Amino acid sequence: WESNEKLWQEVKSLRESQEKLARDMHDVKVTLSRLTVSEEDESREVISYRLRNELGVEVELSNLRIDDREIDLYGASGDICVVGEATVRLGKGLVEELDGKVELLRRTRPELLRPRLVKVIYALAATQEALEEARKRGIWVLKIDRDLVPRPGP
C-alpha cells in the first residue's frame, strides 16, 4: 500500500505541475498577443506619420484579410498604396512572404493596388540576411527611430 500511495502522490504532483504549466502557457500566449497588437498599432502610427511628413500623403493603415491570409498593414490614398507587415524580429522568410502577399493582391484583388506601391516592414530587430533580401526586393524596413532599409523611390 505504501508503494501505491507514493505512486499516486507522484501522479497528483505531475498533474498539478501540468496544470500550472498550462496556465503559464496561456499567460505567455496572452502576453504575446498583446505585444503583437501593440506592435501593429505602433507600426501604423509611425508609417503614417513618415508618409505624411516625407511624401505629403495621408494614408490610413489597417489590416486586410484575403481568404485565410492576413496583411498587417494596408492602406491606399490617391495613386499610392501601402502593403506591409509588422514584426518583433524580421527574418528572410517574412520578406519573401510580403512579396507573396503583394502577388496575392495582384491576382485576387487588383482594384486595391495603386500605381505607386510602397512595400514596408516595421520591425524591432532584423537579421542582416533579411535586410539584404529587403533591399533586393525594394522593401522599406524601419523601426520607430530609423530606417533599416531606406524607402525606395520618391
Side-chain angles (χ1 to χ4, degrees):
W1 284 113
E2 189 176 305
S3 178
N4 281 343
E5 183 64 27
K6 283 183 182 179
L7 281 174
W8 284 113
Q9 286 175 354
E10 283 297 316
V11 167
K12 180 181 177 188
S13 175
L14 285 171
R15 184 178 310 127
E16 289 169 354
S17 295
Q18 182 181 14
E19 289 169 357
K20 182 183 179 324
L21 181 60
R23 285 190 306 272
D24 291 348
M25 287 301 296
H26 174 74
D27 291 346
V28 167
K29 287 179 184 178
V30 167
T31 300
L32 184 57
S33 176
R34 287 182 184 150
L35 177 61
T36 301
V37 168
S38 66
E39 185 70 18
E40 288 177 13
D41 290 341
E42 178 180 292
S43 69
R44 290 180 186 114
E45 289 180 33
V46 171
I47 293 166
S48 292
Y49 174 83
R50 295 277 307 272
L51 291 172
R52 183 173 48 255
N53 287 332
E54 294 170 16
L55 298 178
V57 176
E58 288 282 340
V59 179
E60 186 177 328
L61 299 172
S62 62
N63 66 339
L64 175 68
R65 291 200 71 77
I66 298 177
D67 299 326
D68 62 340
R69 305 203 49 201
E70 181 179 15
I71 297 171
D72 293 339
L73 306 166
Y74 171 80
S77 177
D79 71 340
I80 195 165
C81 175
V82 177
V83 179
E85 293 295 319
T87 187
V88 173
R89 185 174 183 281
L90 177 61
K92 184 179 176 185
L94 186 59
V95 174
E96 295 166 345
E97 184 179 322
L98 176 57
D99 263 347
K101 289 178 178 179
V102 169
E103 287 308 311
L104 178 66
L105 272 171
R106 280 194 175 108
R107 282 192 323 271
T108 62
R109 305 282 303 275
E111 72 279 5
L112 295 178
L113 295 173
R114 302 292 188 272
R116 293 170 54 199
L117 173 63
V118 176
K119 297 185 292 184
V120 61
I121 298 175
Y122 187 88
L124 293 181
T127 66
Q128 194 58 40
E129 180 183 37
L131 297 177
E132 289 170 13
E133 189 65 25
R135 265 187 209 88
K136 289 179 198 170
R137 294 173 181 259
I139 297 173
W140 178 26
V141 181
L142 71 152
K143 56 196 288 181
I144 195 164
D145 62 340
R146 70 181 187 279
D147 289 351
L148 299 174
V149 174
R151 183 178 42 80

